[in-house]
Amino acid sequence: DRIGRGEAHDRAAHRRADPPRHHRAARTTVAMLTDADDPAFDPDTPVAPLPVDPAYVPIWTTGADGRFRLTGLPAGAYVPVAEAPGFAVGRGAPLTLALGQIVVGVELVLPRGAMVAGRVSDQRGAPVGGAIVRFAPADPIGSRGVVEVATDADGRYRAGPLAGAQAVSARAWGHGDFAGVLDVKRPADGGDLAYDVTLVVADAELEGVVEDPAGLPVVGARIAIDAGAGAGRATVAGAGGRFRLTMLPAG
C-alpha cells in the first residue's frame, strides 16, 4: 500500500513538472480594433442615435388628441401632473410602478380655474406697489402650480388660472408679511375672483443703550431681534452704546 501511494505521488509530480503536450502548445492571441484604427473614423462627426420603436417614443407634450406616453421610468412612486396655458394645474392619482410594469388609461383633468385679482394696500388704505403676491397649492408638488405676481403702482394684481385651496402670501419692503388661505372656485359669471390684501406698514422703531454691569456704555455690541415679525433684524451699538432699529413691523 505504501508503494502504491508512492507511485501515485511520483506520477502526480511528473504531471506537474511535465504537462501534456497539448497544454504546453496552447497559445491564444487577442487583437483589439479601436476606433482610431478605422480610417473612416472621425471623432468630430456626431454619431446618429439608434432608431426608437414608435410604440415606445415618449410623448411629454400632448397633441390634438390630448394623449401622452411616458417611457423609461424607474420603479417608484409618482404623481402625474399636467400644465397648459389657460388652465389650472391638473394632478392625477398617485401611482406606484414596479420594474417592467405598464400602466395604461391614466387620465388627467385640467380645471378651467379662475383668475384672482385684487389690490394690496397698507392699513391706512394707501396702495403698495411692487408687492409680491404668491399663490401655492395647499398640497404642493415641488414648484408645480405656484404663481407669483407683482402689484402695479396702484397696488393691483391679477394671477391665475387657479383652482382649489391656495396658500396666499404677500410681501413688500417696509411692510410686514401677509399669510392667508383662499379656496379658489370659478365664479358663475366666469369673471375674476376678488381677493384684497392688507400689508401693515413697518414703521415702528426700537432704540436704547447697551451698558455693562457698572453702567458704562458698551460700544460694538450686536443687538438682534430673535422672534416675532421683525426676527432677523440686527444692528450694532455705536458711540455711547446707543442703538436704533427702524422700519419694524408691529408685534
Side-chain angles (χ1 to χ4, degrees), residues 64-208:
D65 57 0
R67 294 186 176 277
F68 65 90
R69 181 195 297 124
L70 310 182
T71 61
L73 298 177
Y78 295 90
V79 175
V81 179
E83 298 175 291
F87 294 88
V89 172
R91 305 196 311 179
L95 298 172
T96 301
L97 301 181
L99 288 176
Q101 183 179 4
I102 299 177
V103 178
V104 297
V106 177
E107 293 189 3
L108 303 179
V109 178
L110 293 178
R112 287 288 180 180
M115 298 298 295
V116 179
R119 185 171 182 264
V120 178
S121 57
D122 62 23
Q123 74 271 29
R124 304 182 184 98
V128 180
I132 303 299
V133 184
R134 184 178 190 267
F135 295 87
D139 184 19
I141 299 179
S143 61
R144 299 295 185 186
V146 176
V147 177
E148 283 190 347
V149 293
T151 59
D152 60 16
D154 193 34
R156 299 194 176 278
Y157 74 92
R158 189 168 185 260
L162 300 168
Q166 301 286 324
V168 188
S169 62
R171 64 185 188 277
W173 171 252
H175 298 75
D177 293 343
F178 170 87
V181 177
L182 176 65
D183 187 11
V184 180
K185 296 181 180 179
R186 187 177 177 86
D189 60 1
D192 294 347
L193 179 64
Y195 189 75
D196 294 334
V197 174
T198 300
L199 295 180
V200 178
V201 176
D203 56 1
E205 297 183 2
L206 178 67
E207 61 180 53

Side-chain angles (χ1 to χ4, degrees), residues 211-225:
E211 298 176 341
D212 66 11
L216 298 176
V218 179
V219 178
R222 183 176 183 272
I223 300 92
I225 299 178

